[in-house]
Amino acid sequence: MADYGNARDLDIAWLVACGTLVFLMQCWFTVLETGVMTPKSVTNILYNISIHASIAALCFWLLRWVAYGGSREAPVDESDFATPGIYDADGDGNDVYEAWFFQWVGAGAFATIVAGCIGERTKLEAYFVYSIAFTTFVYPVAVHWGWGAGWLSA
């Protein structure tokens, strides 16, 4: 019989490696967007993208990991606000830090795509409102539908 004792460790390493690549997409978006913007807008777009990762992390951690539901069936559980369920205090190896990390960088990267489209067309405050709304409400619900236990999941 094969021993799969390190399968969880390999899964974690894979999610963190893929999450790191997704996070690096924000750097690639930055290079692309600064190349197509006028010089006066470059500082604004650099600020948008750099602060967006922090906004996405805060919103996704504080509010909407709950809507995604992590690995649970229920989409919303008020006991998971500010993500206390991410750490497994029982010690049975069911921490979900890596899943939270992957979903956070996904939310951040997908919301950053729009930054290039609206880069010179909106004010900074409007972009931050969009960023908060997307990472708090839109992305987690869509992810729950597809990757959670929603109606689009297999």
Side-chain angles (χ1 to χ4, degrees):
M1 202 106 344
D3 180 23
Y4 297 105
N6 63 351
R8 172 99 172 113
D9 296 334
L10 291 173
D11 288 344
I12 291 170
W14 179 251
L15 272 177
V16 171
C18 291
T20 302
L21 291 174
V22 171
F23 187 74
L24 288 174
M25 286 173 59
Q26 293 203 12
C27 297
W28 303 324
F29 291 143
T30 303
V31 171
L32 175 69
E33 291 167 13
T34 56
V36 298
M37 301 278 175
T38 60
K40 70 178 186 120
S41 299
V42 169
T43 304
N44 191 23
I45 198 69
L46 291 174
Y47 182 71
N48 282 354
I49 292 175
S50 63
I51 202 72
H52 174 74
S54 300
I55 289 174
L58 184 63
C59 291
F60 201 65
W61 169 77
L62 188 60
L63 299 172
R64 285 301 147 178
W65 174 253
V66 178
Y68 167 63
S71 59
R72 297 185 321 272
E73 296 287 326
V76 176
D77 181 3
E78 64 275 351
S79 66
D80 280 347
F81 282 101
T83 322
I86 203 168
Y87 175 70
D88 175 34
D90 298 336
D92 59 0
N94 289 327
D95 294 342
V96 290
Y97 287 111
E98 69 282 353
W100 180 89
F101 171 73
F102 188 77
Q103 293 303 329
W104 161 61
V105 297
F110 297 143
T112 303
I113 292 170
V114 176
C117 300
I118 63 173
E120 294 180 323
R121 295 172 182 89
T122 61
K123 292 187 175 189
L124 185 65
E125 297 84 11
Y127 178 74
F128 288 155
V129 168
Y130 155 77
S131 176
I132 290 168
F134 186 85
T135 56
T136 305
F137 302 109
V138 176
Y139 178 82
V141 172
V143 167
H144 178 72
W145 285 348
W147 292 336
W151 62 279
L152 288 175
S153 63

